């Protein structure tokens, strides 16, 4: 029997679609994509910049960030820093990423065990200076 035969069909299809290796269930971890909640938050932010000179550059930067993070395999904040040296580790789960140089900031909460990144806040660096990065939630965002 092949090692991946015990995986659910849907999980196997997702793994095959993303080219990740499947290994035996002998203490080795399966590599699956990081789930980012919610991409729509990024899309809405870019849409809110309609007519702004930065819109295209911000969209490109956020798209690149999204795709890089979706393929990440982070177990600790140290792993984040290996890829994003300019990221700010605020707490054991809270990380701030610089977007488009340092013009915009993206506040996230990362559940390393479950491989989930929650978008908590996104805005200009000037607005970022006015928030409490440790407690901010997306619904309280004011841009």
């Amino acid at each position: 029997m092949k090692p991946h035969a015990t995986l659910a069909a849907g999980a196997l299809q997702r793994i095959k679609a993303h080219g990740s290796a499947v290994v035996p269930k002998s203490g080795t971890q399966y590599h699956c994509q990081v789930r980012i909640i919610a991409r729509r938050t990024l899309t809405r932010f870019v849409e809110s910049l309609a007519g702004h000179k930065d819109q295209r550059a911000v969209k490109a930067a956020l798209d690149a960030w999204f795709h890089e993070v979706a393929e990440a395999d982070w177990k600790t904040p140290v792993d984040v820093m290996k890829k994003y040296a300019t990221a700010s580790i605020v707490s054991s789960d809270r990380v701030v990423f610089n977007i488009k140089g340092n013009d915009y900031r993206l506040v996230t909460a990362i559940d390393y065990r479950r491989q989930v990144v929650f978008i908590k806040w996104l805005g200009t660096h000037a607005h970022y200076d006015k928030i409490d990065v440790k407690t901010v939630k997306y619904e309280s965002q004011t841009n």
Side-chain angles (χ1 to χ4, degrees):
M1 179 185 295
K2 294 181 182 177
H4 63 273
T6 59
L7 287 174
L12 181 58
Q13 287 175 341
R14 284 191 301 277
I15 290 170
K16 283 182 180 178
H18 298 294
S20 299
V22 178
V23 294
K25 189 179 174 184
S26 62
T28 306
Q29 294 184 339
Y30 296 99
H31 176 70
C32 297
Q33 281 189 312
V34 169
R35 183 168 180 207
I36 302 169
I37 301 175
R39 185 172 193 173
R40 182 75 181 125
T41 303
L42 304 178
T43 305
R44 283 187 197 136
F45 184 77
V46 170
E47 290 169 355
S48 77
L49 297 175
H52 192 277
K53 65 182 176 83
D54 284 350
Q55 185 182 25
R56 291 179 76 186
V58 171
K59 180 183 183 330
L62 288 172
D63 285 347
W65 176 88
F66 183 89
H67 292 293
E68 290 169 2
V69 171
E71 294 298 324
D73 186 20
W74 296 331
K75 303 284 185 257
T76 69
V78 172
D79 295 332
V80 175
M81 294 302 293
K82 287 178 185 174
K83 176 70 178 168
Y84 293 96
T86 61
S88 300
I89 307 299
V90 178
S91 66
S92 62
D93 73 333
R94 194 67 59 122
V95 180
V96 180
F97 295 92
N98 297 320
I99 303 296
K100 195 187 155 289
N102 197 13
D103 294 341
Y104 297 85
R105 307 298 300 267
L106 174 61
V107 179
T108 64
I110 303 175
D111 183 332
Y112 296 98
R113 188 174 63 78
R114 291 185 180 94
Q115 295 287 287
V116 178
V117 174
F118 299 92
I119 296 171
K120 295 296 185 178
W121 187 88
L122 173 59
T124 65
H125 197 146
H127 285 116
Y128 170 82
D129 290 338
K130 298 175 185 174
I131 66 167
D132 180 353
V133 70
K134 293 179 182 178
T135 60
V136 70
K137 296 179 184 171
Y138 183 75
E139 54 270 13
S140 66
Q141 179 172 345
T142 56
N143 279 351

